[in-house]
Structure formats: structure tokens, C-alpha cells
Amino acid sequence: MTDKAQKLDAGAWLSLPDLKNGNFDGTVFRTQVSVLRYTQEAYGAGPSLHVHTYPEIFVILSGTALFKIGEEVIEAQSGDVLFGPANVPHKFKNTGSSPLETLDIHLSEKWTQEDLPDDDPDW
């Protein structure tokens, strides 16, 4: 970790021109935290079932979502914060008529993910 303040310009980690998605690894600041900004505009769409070897924190910036973290199904909306433990499969989807925007904080120097088969017919 560095003891000096640093700045990462938006264009260095967010997709241009809309700045709606992007990520940076903790290596940028020499920390054990990586960050993803995720936007899903389509109702019912979102990341498929996957797992990380480290914990993840989801901050709902706007919209509404349905999360499945392990066996727990959680409704979330703008302003909510959710926690996903390490090695627990999870997924989420937009449940509103407006875009779902999240800031996903990965407690790891690098973002790694294992996609899993998903046979949940009710999702």
C-alpha cells in the first residue's frame, strides 16, 4: 500500500463515452481492493452464476435488483449494500424498468471469477 494520495482519472477505468461500466484492480493503488462499476439496462438481465475466492460487497447506486447469494434471495434497491462471502456462488438481475447500477467492491488485489453452470429454472 502506498502512503501517498493518488488519483485514477475516470477515463482510465470507466468505459467511454458513457462511463457506465469499468473496473480497476487493486494493483493500481497497491491494495487488496478491486472495484467494478456495472450497469444493466435490460429488465431481467444480469451476471450469470459465478464465484470468487474472496468476499465481495455490492453497493446499489440506482435501480432495483434481485440477488441470489448462496441459497439466500435478497431484494435490493438504490442505497442498499449487500455482502457476498468468499467461495459462495452468486448472481443478480435487474428487476426494475430503469437501469441497475452497482459498484462492486472485490476484497482482492485482482478481480478473478469462476463462471458456474446454472440450472435454476425459476431464475
Side-chain angles (χ1 to χ4, degrees), residues 66 68 91 93 118-123:
L66 188 64
K68 186 168 186 184
K91 60 185 174 180
K93 62 184 175 181
D118 190 359
D119 57 0
D120 185 349
D122 298 324
W123 190 255

Side-chain angles (χ1 to χ4, degrees), residues 25-108:
D25 284 337
T27 56
V28 171
F29 297 117
R30 291 183 273 166
T31 74
Q32 294 296 312
V33 176
S34 297
V35 176
L36 281 77
R37 178 168 175 139
Y38 177 79
T39 301
Q40 179 52 255
E41 296 190 14
Y43 177 86
S48 60
L49 188 66
H50 62 278
V51 68
H52 309 284
T53 58
Y54 49 80
E56 182 176 6
I57 297 169
F58 307 92
V59 180
I60 312 304
L61 300 175
S62 66
T64 59
L66 188 64
F67 278 74
K68 186 168 186 184
I69 302 173
E71 295 303 315
E72 298 291 323
V73 176
I74 303 167
E75 292 182 21
Q77 63 185 358
S78 181
D80 290 346
V81 178
L82 290 83
F83 176 77
N87 302 306
V88 174
H90 56 276
K91 60 185 174 180
F92 59 94
K93 62 184 175 181
N94 183 353
T95 58
S97 58
S98 61
L100 169 65
E101 296 180 303
T102 66
L103 195 65
D104 305 336
I105 302 166
H106 294 244
L107 301 177
S108 173

